[in-house]
Amino acid sequence: MFRNQYDTDVTTWSPAGRLFQVEYAMEAVKQGSAAIGLRSKTHVVLASVNKASSELSSHQKKIFKVDDHIGVAIAGLTADGRVLSRYMRNECINYSYTYESPLPVGRLVVQLADKAQVCTQRSWKRPYGVGLLVGGLDESGAHLYYNCPSGNYFEYQAFAIGSRSQAAKTYLERKFESFMDSSREDLIKDALFALRETLQGEKMTSSICTISILGAGEAFHVLDQETVQRLINEFEVVGEEPPADDEAAAPDAEAAAPDAAEGAAPDQGAAPMDI
Amino acid sequence: MPKQQANWSPYDNNGGTCVAIAGADYCVIAADTRMSTGYSILTRDYSKIIQLADKSVMASSGFQADVRALQKVLAARHLIYQHQHNKQMSCPAMAQLLSNTLYFKRFFPYYAFNVLGGLDSEGKGCVFTYDAVGSYERVGYSAQGSGATLITPFLDNQLKSPSPLLLPAKDAVTPLSEIEAIDLVKTCFASATERDIYTGDKVEMLVLNANGIRREVMELRKD
């Protein structure tokens, strides 16, 4: 009810104890096209949907290599994402210059989160309008983090952000318990299935999605189009259902239900930052 | 009381020799592995060579602490380049970067005498030779370091045309085959080792060609 009165400045609290500008920034993340991340003990897969603004233009880059052992997928204002990727790359280069070893992922996401927090407490700044899925491998294993515009960050086994990400999240919620011990190939396949959920029936081709992987003994890289198309063809030939699925419900039926939930506005009372 | 002179120097010379020869479709870069200080040997097994990019290899003699610092700066700059341009730096680009990096410290130089070798964008061998502050030139062959004065006249004799009138001055590629060039490099080091006390132990050679990069090590006199 007071949303419009207290949302001019990021440094203005609402009577309910919320910063509306930060919440609006998180809305921007939901507007971007989907990005998905999953991890096993040894690998992290980041995938995204290539949405072009028109048929004439090319799609925006949403997955960036930060270092050999870290990659990031973004959703939201891609310009903000590009700037943050450049920051992350710089931090990695400076750390390995000084310490001759790769920057631990946990440290990088904290630095990123602190950087985002600064923008929520300066009247002359605005929050970054981008959500980042940071995947990395360090001495403590493979990790997947999600960095919010609010300055919060969380570690995930698997996550999806952006538009229609709820469909992917539903799929991931069903399968995530098996991810830790997944093989590299199964992890990529699950990423493709999750990505397909967000396409909502649209034909899945290698031109519409980008898949990237990093892992033990494998530097971060984006899979080329032919490899991705081959993987898509493989599971398209097998059948529409994802393999080894014990549940009765087919993924297509489940895709319909989350879509309705996606459309409903977030509850005005709850503060979405308190996840 | 006579005027006191500074008796601490930020520099030291760790000795050593580097050589590079460019061919029509290959490049050989070589350096000995002896690291000295004064009349002592610090180690017999130190590499002065680093691969900066796919097709760029640098060998540096002089003060190895400065050499190491220089190598790290160039490696970091190359990473940045790859992030921005999505490709590896070409050898001529790396040559310019090295020159700029050296001149950046014009008033407290890197005590490094560098030779950069690799393949240019056409696949031809290229060698760039530097002084400590970044003055550089593309050449067909070069030697730097403590044994350079012994090796360069020999290479001139073997590789340079007898008269500058017969061969145009811009010729930056030697007519030798890869095998012949490697043999020549081995001969250079074996000879320099005889008379230069700072050169010896082993010579490490890197050969770049269209198939990739190959490493060869040859033993030298240890005295």
Side-chain angles (χ1 to χ4, degrees):
Chain A
M1 152 169 116
F2 296 112
R3 227 171 127 103
N4 294 336
Q5 266 185 291
Y6 303 99
D7 66 357
T8 314
D9 258 320
V10 70
T11 49
T12 306
W13 288 100
S14 81
R18 294 154 71 172
L19 292 168
F20 285 120
Q21 278 296 309
V22 178
E23 290 178 29
Y24 295 166
M26 306 208 351
E27 283 297 313
V29 176
K30 294 182 199 161
Q31 300 303 322
S33 58
I36 291 166
L38 329 70
R39 67 139 169 159
S40 71
K41 224 178 288 179
T42 53
H43 288 80
V44 183
V45 174
L46 295 170
S48 71
V49 172
N50 303 341
K51 189 167 70 175
S53 55
S54 83
E55 272 181 40
L56 299 168
S57 74
S58 63
H59 66 88
Q60 286 184 309
K61 196 165 164 191
K62 282 163 63 79
I63 297 186
F64 299 91
K65 175 171 176 169
V66 169
D67 204 345
D68 281 340
H69 67 297
I70 301 180
V72 63
I74 61 168
L77 266 55
T78 44
D80 285 1
R82 218 172 46 238
V83 159
L84 287 174
S85 301
R86 194 162 56 226
Y87 167 76
M88 290 163 81
R89 285 168 176 171
N90 247 351
E91 290 301 301
C92 284
I93 289 175
N94 288 338
Y95 186 94
S96 47
Y97 181 94
T98 308
Y99 300 103
E100 299 252 350
S101 74
L103 176 58
V105 198
R107 303 256 184 101
L108 181 62
V109 294
V110 175
Q111 284 173 257
L112 202 54
D114 288 347
K115 194 169 161 70
Q117 191 279 340
V118 166
C119 297
T120 66
Q121 215 176 4
R122 307 276 184 271
S123 60
W124 63 90
K125 285 182 183 259
R126 64 155 178 83
Y128 288 106
V130 64
L132 302 110
L133 280 171
V134 183
L137 180 77
D138 58 26
E139 283 181 346
S140 54
H143 299 278
L144 176 70
Y145 292 93
Y146 171 53
N147 278 69
C148 276
S150 59
N152 276 332
Y153 68 97
F154 311 92
E155 184 161 8
Y156 285 97
Q157 189 68 45
F159 201 48
I161 56 176
S163 70
R164 298 191 280 206
S165 58
Q166 189 51 54
K169 269 188 270 194
T170 313
Y171 172 82
L172 294 170
E173 272 164 30
R174 277 204 335 252
K175 304 289 298 293
F176 80 93
E177 264 148 352
S178 67
F179 287 167
M180 210 51 178
D181 297 308
S182 264
S183 71
R184 177 187 179 277
E185 286 65 37
D186 283 340
L187 210 63
I188 298 176
K189 229 176 270 181
D190 278 317
L192 282 165
F193 279 127
L195 209 58
R196 201 176 57 160
E197 299 301 306
T198 67
L199 294 173
Q200 304 278 291
E202 218 177 309
K203 174 96 173 94
M204 185 164 191
T205 65
S206 59
S207 55
I208 210 172
C209 55
T210 308
I211 316 276
S212 66
I213 186 163
L214 68 96
E218 189 175 0
F220 176 89
H221 63 282
V222 176
L223 300 179
D224 61 280
Q225 278 221 312
E226 286 129 47
T227 314
V228 177
Q229 190 57 53
R230 194 175 26 89
L231 289 161
I232 295 174
N233 295 341
E234 265 172 35
F235 72 71
E236 220 100 274
V237 166
V238 168
E240 284 304 308
E241 281 82 18
D245 195 355
D246 293 337
E247 261 108 309
D252 298 302
E254 282 191 282
D259 199 39
E262 190 73 35
D267 186 16
Q268 293 285 354
M273 287 181 289
D274 301 334
I275 299 173
Chain B
M1 183 157 158
K3 185 175 178 180
Q4 289 246 286
Q5 297 281 17
N7 49 16
W8 178 83
S9 168
Y11 297 113
D12 186 16
N13 192 347
N14 301 119
T17 309
C18 305
V19 169
I21 300 181
D25 59 353
Y26 67 88
C27 188
V28 186
I29 302 98
D32 72 325
T33 60
R34 175 177 287 179
M35 188 165 154
S36 335
T37 179
Y39 287 120
S40 307
I41 292 180
L42 288 171
T43 179
R44 298 187 189 275
D45 197 13
Y46 189 81
S47 176
K48 300 186 190 44
I49 304 182
I50 188 176
Q51 184 175 16
L52 293 170
D54 238 7
K55 303 196 172 145
S56 301
V57 175
M58 180 174 81
S60 324
S61 72
F63 181 36
Q64 289 302 319
D66 272 0
V67 166
R68 186 80 190 99
L70 177 64
Q71 289 174 348
K72 289 175 73 159
V73 167
L74 292 172
R77 289 298 303 274
H78 186 228
L79 252 184
I80 295 172
Y81 182 97
Q82 283 179 83
H83 282 144
Q84 288 179 342
H85 303 269
N86 233 9
K87 64 171 191 171
Q88 298 263 329
M89 267 177 104
S90 66
C91 197
M94 186 60 82
Q96 187 64 54
L97 177 64
L98 175 54
S99 172
N100 294 347
T101 308
L102 291 168
Y103 196 82
F104 197 68
K105 275 173 62 74
R106 171 68 179 80
F107 300 111
F108 183 11
Y110 289 106
Y111 195 104
F113 299 99
N114 308 293
V115 167
L116 184 77
L119 302 171
D120 65 14
S121 333
E122 293 165 16
K124 287 199 218 140
C126 57
V127 170
F128 299 91
T129 190
Y130 295 79
D131 71 0
V133 284
S135 165
Y136 81 109
E137 186 191 2
R138 182 171 176 177
V139 287
Y141 59 92
S142 174
Q144 291 277 5
S146 56
T149 46
L150 298 165
I151 292 175
T152 309
F154 176 58
L155 288 177
D156 285 342
N157 172 267
Q158 296 291 305
L159 301 174
K160 210 173 185 178
S161 147
S163 161
L165 297 170
L166 288 175
L167 211 63
K170 269 292 172 190
D171 191 48
V173 153
T174 62
L176 293 184
S177 74
E178 191 179 306
I179 319 270
E180 287 173 323
I182 295 169
D183 212 56
L184 188 61
V185 165
K186 290 180 181 173
T187 310
C188 286
F189 274 92
S191 309
T193 304
E194 291 294 308
R195 296 288 178 170
D196 177 24
I197 59 173
Y198 297 108
T199 303
D201 293 326
K202 286 195 279 267
V203 58
E204 183 188 7
M205 289 165 284
L206 260 71
V207 185
L208 273 110
N209 54 28
N211 303 333
I213 189 161
R214 198 177 85 242
R215 187 172 172 269
E216 212 182 306
V217 177
M218 185 183 86
E219 294 291 322
L220 295 170
R221 281 183 68 157
K222 318 273 174 216
D223 63 358

